[in-house]
Amino acid sequence: MDNAKIEEGVRLILEGVGEDPNREGLLDTPARVARMYNEVFAGLEENPAKHFQVTFDEHHDGIVLVRDIPFYSMCEHHLVPFFGTAHVAYLPSEEGRLCGISKLARLVDVFAKRPQVQERLTAQVADTLMEQLNPRGVAVVMEAEHMCMSMRGVKKPGSKTTTSVVRGLFESDPVVKAEVMSLIFRPV
């Protein structure tokens, strides 16, 4: 990341809204924002495939689901956050190879830490799982609140957007799809 450009841009924004970037409270703001952008956009420099270099031969034949994975992302249209939970499931390949369950959460983070739209984020997680694990099916459901809708524009705080992507058997077999969706949306 080019921190100098980020800092210059933040100074211009502060001036543009009528603030004095040399005011005591704002003096270090450009550098703080640059450090924050390095953190929240870290996924731009990360290859998601690295999380799937190790898999386990467990001959598992059932659904693997990690629910309620918290995520934070930045709307690419307004550069304000959207945040929520991801539910990621896969039906292992015929060989039954598994990845570590933490890898599902890491995969969500890699793509969430980029300028995003929720629809693409959901598809990127699903498609990467299909590519890396060759599973019989993948289901990803994301639920998020978008600050671009809560704090500006229509101003509807608390509203949630739900997106889902299903691949493989979760897409083609209604019984298997119903099973995974019932696991994802079961009451806690």
Coordinates of all heavy atoms in Angstrom, one line a residue, residues 8-72:
E8 N -2.1 11.8 1.9 CA -2.3 12.9 1.1 C -3.8 13.1 0.8 O -4.4 14.1 0.9 CB -1.5 12.9 -0.2 CG -1.8 14.0 -1.1 CD -1.0 13.8 -2.5 OE1 0.0 13.1 -2.5 OE2 -1.4 14.5 -3.4
G9 N -4.4 11.9 0.5 CA -5.9 11.9 0.2 C -6.7 12.3 1.4 O -7.7 13.0 1.2
V10 N -6.3 11.8 2.5 CA -7.1 12.1 3.8 C -7.0 13.6 4.1 O -8.0 14.2 4.4 CB -6.6 11.2 4.9 CG1 -7.2 11.7 6.3 CG2 -7.0 9.8 4.7
R11 N -5.8 14.2 3.9 CA -5.6 15.6 4.1 C -6.5 16.4 3.2 O -7.2 17.4 3.6 CB -4.1 16.0 3.9 CG -3.3 15.8 5.2 CD -1.9 16.4 5.1 NE -1.0 15.7 4.2 CZ -0.4 14.6 4.6 NH1 -0.5 14.1 5.8 NH2 0.4 13.9 3.8
L12 N -6.6 16.0 1.9 CA -7.5 16.6 0.9 C -8.9 16.5 1.3 O -9.7 17.5 1.2 CB -7.2 16.1 -0.5 CG -5.9 16.4 -1.1 CD1 -5.7 15.7 -2.4 CD2 -5.9 17.9 -1.4
I13 N -9.3 15.4 1.8 CA -10.7 15.2 2.3 C -11.0 16.1 3.4 O -12.1 16.8 3.4 CB -11.0 13.7 2.6 CG1 -11.0 12.8 1.4 CG2 -12.3 13.6 3.4 CD1 -11.1 11.3 1.7
L14 N -10.1 16.2 4.4 CA -10.3 17.1 5.5 C -10.5 18.5 5.1 O -11.3 19.2 5.5 CB -9.2 16.9 6.5 CG -9.1 15.6 7.3 CD1 -7.9 15.4 8.1 CD2 -10.4 15.4 8.2
E15 N -9.6 18.9 4.2 CA -9.7 20.3 3.6 C -11.0 20.5 2.9 O -11.7 21.5 3.0 CB -8.5 20.6 2.7 CG -7.2 20.8 3.4 CD -6.0 20.9 2.5 OE1 -6.2 20.9 1.2 OE2 -4.9 21.0 3.0
G16 N -11.4 19.4 2.1 CA -12.6 19.5 1.3 C -13.9 19.6 2.1 O -14.8 20.3 1.6
V17 N -13.9 19.1 3.3 CA -15.1 19.2 4.2 C -15.0 20.5 5.0 O -15.9 20.7 5.8 CB -15.4 17.9 5.0 CG1 -15.6 16.7 4.2 CG2 -14.3 17.7 6.1
G18 N -14.0 21.2 4.9 CA -13.8 22.5 5.6 C -13.1 22.4 6.9 O -13.1 23.4 7.7
E19 N -12.3 21.4 7.1 CA -11.5 21.2 8.3 C -10.1 21.7 8.0 O -9.7 21.8 6.9 CB -11.5 19.8 8.8 CG -12.6 19.4 9.8 CD -12.4 20.1 11.1 OE1 -11.4 20.7 11.4 OE2 -13.3 19.9 12.0
D20 N -9.4 21.9 9.1 CA -8.0 22.2 9.1 C -7.1 21.0 9.4 O -7.1 20.6 10.6 CB -7.7 23.4 10.0 CG -6.2 23.7 10.1 OD1 -5.4 23.2 9.3 OD2 -5.8 24.5 11.0
P21 N -6.5 20.3 8.4 CA -5.7 19.1 8.7 C -4.5 19.4 9.7 O -4.0 18.4 10.2 CB -5.3 18.6 7.4 CG -5.5 19.7 6.4 CD -6.4 20.7 7.0
N22 N -4.2 20.6 9.9 CA -3.1 21.0 10.8 C -3.6 21.2 12.3 O -2.8 21.5 13.1 CB -2.3 22.2 10.3 CG -1.6 21.8 9.0 OD1 -1.0 20.8 8.9 ND2 -1.8 22.7 8.0
R23 N -4.9 21.1 12.5 CA -5.5 21.3 13.8 C -5.0 20.2 14.7 O -4.8 19.0 14.2 CB -7.0 21.3 13.7 CG -7.8 21.5 15.0 CD -9.2 21.8 14.8 NE -10.0 20.7 14.1 CZ -10.5 19.6 14.7 NH1 -10.2 19.4 16.0 NH2 -11.2 18.8 14.1
E24 N -4.8 20.4 16.0 CA -4.2 19.4 16.9 C -4.9 18.1 16.8 O -4.2 17.0 16.7 CB -4.2 20.0 18.3 CG -3.6 19.0 19.3 CD -3.6 19.5 20.7 OE1 -4.3 20.6 21.0 OE2 -3.0 18.9 21.6
G25 N -6.2 18.1 16.9 CA -6.9 16.8 16.9 C -6.8 16.0 15.6 O -7.1 14.8 15.5
L26 N -6.5 16.7 14.5 CA -6.5 16.1 13.1 C -5.0 15.8 12.6 O -4.9 15.2 11.6 CB -7.2 16.9 12.1 CG -8.7 17.0 12.4 CD1 -9.3 18.0 11.4 CD2 -9.4 15.7 12.3
L27 N -4.1 16.3 13.3 CA -2.7 16.3 12.9 C -2.2 14.9 12.5 O -1.6 14.7 11.5 CB -1.8 16.9 13.9 CG -0.5 17.5 13.4 CD1 -0.7 18.5 12.3 CD2 0.3 18.2 14.6
D28 N -2.5 13.9 13.3 CA -2.1 12.6 13.1 C -3.2 11.7 12.3 O -2.9 10.5 12.1 CB -1.7 11.9 14.4 CG -0.5 12.5 15.0 OD1 0.4 13.0 14.2 OD2 -0.4 12.5 16.2
T29 N -4.3 12.3 12.0 CA -5.4 11.5 11.4 C -5.0 10.9 10.1 O -5.3 9.7 9.8 CB -6.6 12.4 11.3 OG1 -7.1 12.7 12.6 CG2 -7.8 11.7 10.5
P30 N -4.3 11.6 9.2 CA -3.9 11.0 7.9 C -3.1 9.7 8.1 O -3.3 8.7 7.4 CB -3.1 12.0 7.2 CG -3.7 13.3 7.7 CD -4.0 13.0 9.1
A31 N -2.1 9.7 9.0 CA -1.3 8.5 9.3 C -2.1 7.4 9.9 O -2.0 6.2 9.6 CB -0.1 8.9 10.2
R32 N -3.1 7.8 10.8 CA -3.9 6.8 11.5 C -4.8 6.1 10.4 O -5.0 4.9 10.4 CB -4.8 7.4 12.6 CG -4.0 7.7 13.8 CD -5.0 8.0 15.0 NE -5.7 9.3 14.8 CZ -5.3 10.4 15.3 NH1 -4.1 10.5 15.9 NH2 -6.0 11.5 15.0
V33 N -5.4 6.9 9.5 CA -6.2 6.3 8.5 C -5.4 5.4 7.6 O -5.9 4.4 7.2 CB -7.0 7.5 7.7 CG1 -7.7 6.9 6.5 CG2 -7.9 8.2 8.6
A34 N -4.2 5.8 7.2 CA -3.4 5.0 6.4 C -3.1 3.6 7.0 O -3.2 2.6 6.4 CB -2.1 5.7 6.0
R35 N -2.8 3.6 8.3 CA -2.6 2.4 9.1 C -3.8 1.5 9.1 O -3.8 0.3 8.9 CB -2.1 2.7 10.5 CG -0.6 3.1 10.5 CD -0.1 3.2 11.9 NE -0.8 4.0 12.9 CZ -0.7 5.3 13.1 NH1 0.3 5.9 12.4 NH2 -1.4 5.9 14.0
M36 N -5.0 2.2 9.3 CA -6.3 1.5 9.3 C -6.5 0.8 7.9 O -6.9 -0.3 7.8 CB -7.4 2.4 9.6 CG -8.7 1.7 9.7 SD -10.3 2.4 9.1 CE -9.8 3.6 7.9
Y37 N -6.3 1.6 6.8 CA -6.5 1.0 5.5 C -5.6 -0.2 5.2 O -6.0 -1.1 4.6 CB -6.3 2.1 4.4 CG -7.5 3.0 4.2 CD1 -8.7 2.8 5.0 CD2 -7.5 3.9 3.3 CE1 -9.8 3.6 4.8 CE2 -8.6 4.8 3.0 CZ -9.8 4.6 3.8 OH -10.9 5.4 3.6
N38 N -4.4 -0.1 5.8 CA -3.5 -1.3 5.6 C -4.1 -2.5 6.3 O -3.9 -3.6 5.8 CB -2.1 -1.0 6.3 CG -1.2 -0.2 5.3 OD1 -0.4 -0.8 4.6 ND2 -1.3 1.1 5.3
E39 N -4.8 -2.3 7.4 CA -5.4 -3.4 8.1 C -6.7 -3.9 7.4 O -6.9 -5.1 7.1 CB -5.7 -3.0 9.5 CG -6.2 -4.1 10.4 CD -6.4 -3.6 11.8 OE1 -5.8 -2.7 12.2 OE2 -7.3 -4.3 12.5
V40 N -7.6 -2.9 7.1 CA -8.9 -3.3 6.6 C -8.9 -3.8 5.1 O -9.8 -4.4 4.7 CB -10.0 -2.3 6.8 CG1 -10.2 -2.0 8.3 CG2 -9.7 -1.0 6.0
F41 N -7.8 -3.4 4.4 CA -7.7 -3.9 3.0 C -6.5 -4.9 2.8 O -6.0 -5.1 1.7 CB -7.5 -2.7 2.1 CG -8.7 -1.7 2.0 CD1 -8.5 -0.4 2.1 CD2 -9.9 -2.2 1.8 CE1 -9.6 0.5 2.0 CE2 -11.0 -1.4 1.7 CZ -10.9 0.0 1.8
A42 N -6.1 -5.5 3.9 CA -5.0 -6.5 3.8 C -5.3 -7.6 2.9 O -4.4 -8.3 2.4 CB -4.7 -7.0 5.2
G43 N -6.6 -8.0 2.7 CA -6.9 -9.0 1.8 C -6.5 -8.8 0.3 O -6.5 -9.8 -0.5
L44 N -6.3 -7.5 -0.1 CA -5.8 -7.3 -1.4 C -4.5 -7.9 -1.7 O -4.2 -8.2 -2.9 CB -5.8 -5.7 -1.6 CG -7.1 -5.0 -1.7 CD1 -6.9 -3.5 -1.6 CD2 -7.8 -5.3 -3.0
E45 N -3.7 -8.1 -0.7 CA -2.4 -8.6 -0.9 C -2.2 -10.1 -0.5 O -1.1 -10.6 -0.4 CB -1.4 -7.8 -0.1 CG -1.4 -6.3 -0.6 CD -0.5 -5.4 0.2 OE1 0.1 -5.9 1.3 OE2 -0.4 -4.2 -0.2
E46 N -3.4 -10.8 -0.3 CA -3.3 -12.1 0.2 C -4.0 -13.1 -0.8 O -5.1 -12.8 -1.3 CB -4.1 -12.2 1.5 CG -3.9 -13.6 2.2 CD -4.5 -13.6 3.6 OE1 -4.8 -12.5 4.2 OE2 -4.6 -14.7 4.2
N47 N -3.3 -14.2 -1.1 CA -3.9 -15.2 -2.0 C -4.7 -16.2 -1.1 O -4.1 -16.9 -0.2 CB -2.7 -15.9 -2.7 CG -3.2 -17.0 -3.6 OD1 -4.4 -17.4 -3.6 ND2 -2.3 -17.6 -4.4
P48 N -6.0 -16.3 -1.3 CA -6.8 -17.2 -0.5 C -6.4 -18.7 -0.6 O -6.6 -19.5 0.3 CB -8.2 -17.0 -1.0 CG -8.1 -16.4 -2.4 CD -6.8 -15.7 -2.4
A49 N -5.8 -19.1 -1.7 CA -5.4 -20.5 -1.9 C -4.4 -21.0 -0.9 O -4.3 -22.2 -0.6 CB -4.8 -20.7 -3.3
K50 N -3.6 -20.0 -0.3 CA -2.6 -20.5 0.7 C -3.2 -21.2 1.9 O -2.6 -21.9 2.6 CB -1.8 -19.3 1.1 CG -2.4 -18.4 2.2 CD -1.5 -17.3 2.6 CE -2.1 -16.6 3.8 NZ -1.2 -15.6 4.4
H51 N -4.5 -20.9 2.2 CA -5.2 -21.5 3.4 C -5.6 -22.9 3.1 O -6.1 -23.6 4.0 CB -6.4 -20.6 3.8 CG -6.0 -19.3 4.2 ND1 -5.2 -19.0 5.3 CD2 -6.2 -18.1 3.7 CE1 -5.0 -17.8 5.5 NE2 -5.6 -17.1 4.4
F52 N -5.4 -23.4 1.9 CA -5.9 -24.8 1.6 C -4.7 -25.7 1.1 O -5.0 -26.7 0.5 CB -7.0 -24.7 0.5 CG -8.2 -23.9 1.0 CD1 -8.3 -22.6 0.7 CD2 -9.1 -24.5 1.8 CE1 -9.4 -21.8 1.2 CE2 -10.2 -23.8 2.3 CZ -10.3 -22.5 2.0
Q53 N -3.5 -25.3 1.4 CA -2.4 -26.1 1.1 C -2.3 -27.4 1.9 O -1.8 -28.4 1.4 CB -1.1 -25.3 1.3 CG -1.0 -24.2 0.3 CD 0.2 -23.3 0.6 OE1 0.9 -23.4 1.6 NE2 0.5 -22.4 -0.3
V54 N -3.0 -27.4 3.1 CA -3.0 -28.6 3.9 C -4.5 -29.0 4.0 O -5.3 -28.2 4.4 CB -2.4 -28.3 5.3 CG1 -2.6 -29.6 6.2 CG2 -1.0 -27.9 5.2
T55 N -4.7 -30.3 3.7 CA -6.1 -30.9 3.9 C -5.9 -32.2 4.6 O -4.8 -32.7 4.7 CB -6.8 -31.1 2.5 OG1 -6.1 -31.9 1.7 CG2 -7.1 -29.8 1.9
F56 N -7.0 -32.8 5.1 CA -6.9 -34.0 5.9 C -7.8 -35.1 5.2 O -8.9 -34.8 4.8 CB -7.4 -33.7 7.3 CG -6.7 -32.5 7.9 CD1 -7.3 -31.3 7.9 CD2 -5.5 -32.7 8.6 CE1 -6.6 -30.2 8.5 CE2 -4.8 -31.7 9.1 CZ -5.4 -30.4 9.1
D57 N -7.2 -36.3 5.2 CA -8.0 -37.4 4.6 C -8.7 -38.1 5.7 O -8.3 -39.0 6.4 CB -6.9 -38.4 4.0 CG -7.6 -39.4 3.2 OD1 -8.8 -39.4 2.9 OD2 -6.9 -40.4 2.8
E58 N -10.0 -37.6 6.0 CA -10.8 -38.2 7.0 C -12.0 -39.0 6.5 O -12.7 -39.6 7.3 CB -11.3 -37.0 7.9 CG -10.3 -36.3 8.7 CD -9.6 -37.2 9.7 OE1 -10.3 -38.1 10.3 OE2 -8.4 -37.0 10.0
H59 N -12.1 -39.1 5.2 CA -13.2 -39.8 4.6 C -14.6 -39.4 5.2 O -15.5 -40.2 5.4 CB -13.1 -41.4 4.7 CG -11.8 -41.8 4.2 ND1 -11.5 -41.9 2.8 CD2 -10.6 -42.3 4.8 CE1 -10.3 -42.3 2.6 NE2 -9.7 -42.6 3.8
H60 N -14.7 -38.1 5.4 CA -16.0 -37.6 6.0 C -17.0 -37.5 4.9 O -16.7 -36.9 3.8 CB -15.7 -36.2 6.7 CG -16.9 -35.7 7.3 ND1 -17.4 -36.2 8.5 CD2 -17.7 -34.6 7.0 CE1 -18.4 -35.5 8.9 NE2 -18.7 -34.6 8.0
D61 N -18.2 -37.9 5.2 CA -19.2 -38.0 4.1 C -20.4 -37.0 4.4 O -21.3 -36.9 3.6 CB -19.8 -39.4 4.0 CG -20.6 -39.6 2.8 OD1 -20.3 -39.0 1.8 OD2 -21.6 -40.4 2.9
G62 N -20.3 -36.2 5.5 CA -21.4 -35.3 5.8 C -21.0 -33.9 5.6 O -19.9 -33.5 5.2
I63 N -22.0 -33.0 5.8 CA -21.8 -31.6 5.7 C -20.9 -31.1 6.8 O -21.0 -31.5 7.9 CB -23.2 -30.9 5.7 CG1 -24.1 -31.3 4.5 CG2 -23.1 -29.4 5.8 CD1 -25.5 -30.8 4.6
V64 N -20.0 -30.1 6.4 CA -19.2 -29.4 7.3 C -19.7 -28.0 7.3 O -19.7 -27.4 6.2 CB -17.7 -29.5 6.9 CG1 -16.9 -28.6 7.9 CG2 -17.2 -30.9 6.9
L65 N -20.1 -27.4 8.4 CA -20.7 -26.1 8.4 C -20.0 -25.3 9.6 O -20.0 -25.8 10.7 CB -22.2 -26.1 8.7 CG -22.9 -24.9 9.1 CD1 -22.9 -23.8 8.0 CD2 -24.4 -25.2 9.4
V66 N -19.6 -24.1 9.3 CA -19.2 -23.1 10.3 C -20.2 -22.0 10.2 O -20.3 -21.3 9.2 CB -17.7 -22.6 10.2 CG1 -17.4 -21.6 11.3 CG2 -16.8 -23.8 10.3
R67 N -20.9 -21.8 11.3 CA -21.9 -20.7 11.3 C -21.4 -19.5 12.1 O -20.5 -19.6 12.9 CB -23.2 -21.2 12.1 CG -24.0 -22.2 11.3 CD -25.2 -22.6 12.1 NE -25.8 -21.5 13.0 CZ -27.0 -21.6 13.6 NH1 -27.7 -22.6 13.4 NH2 -27.4 -20.6 14.3
D68 N -22.1 -18.4 11.8 CA -21.9 -17.2 12.6 C -20.4 -16.7 12.6 O -19.9 -16.3 13.7 CB -22.4 -17.3 14.0 CG -23.9 -17.6 14.0 OD1 -24.6 -17.1 13.2 OD2 -24.3 -18.5 14.8
I69 N -19.7 -16.7 11.5 CA -18.4 -16.2 11.3 C -18.5 -14.7 11.2 O -19.1 -14.2 10.2 CB -17.7 -16.7 10.1 CG1 -17.6 -18.3 10.1 CG2 -16.3 -16.1 10.0 CD1 -17.2 -18.9 8.8
P70 N -18.1 -13.9 12.2 CA -18.2 -12.4 12.1 C -17.2 -11.9 11.0 O -16.1 -12.4 10.8 CB -17.7 -11.9 13.4 CG -17.4 -13.1 14.3 CD -17.4 -14.3 13.4
F71 N -17.7 -10.9 10.2 CA -16.8 -10.3 9.2 C -17.1 -8.8 9.2 O -18.2 -8.3 9.5 CB -17.0 -10.9 7.8 CG -18.2 -10.6 7.1 CD1 -18.3 -9.5 6.3 CD2 -19.4 -11.4 7.3 CE1 -19.5 -9.2 5.7 CE2 -20.6 -11.1 6.6 CZ -20.6 -10.0 5.8
Y72 N -16.1 -8.1 8.7 CA -16.2 -6.6 8.5 C -15.6 -6.4 7.1 O -14.5 -6.9 6.8 CB -15.4 -5.9 9.6 CG -15.8 -6.2 11.0 CD1 -15.2 -7.3 11.6 CD2 -16.8 -5.5 11.6 CE1 -15.6 -7.7 12.9 CE2 -17.2 -5.8 12.9 CZ -16.6 -6.9 13.5 OH -17.0 -7.2 14.8

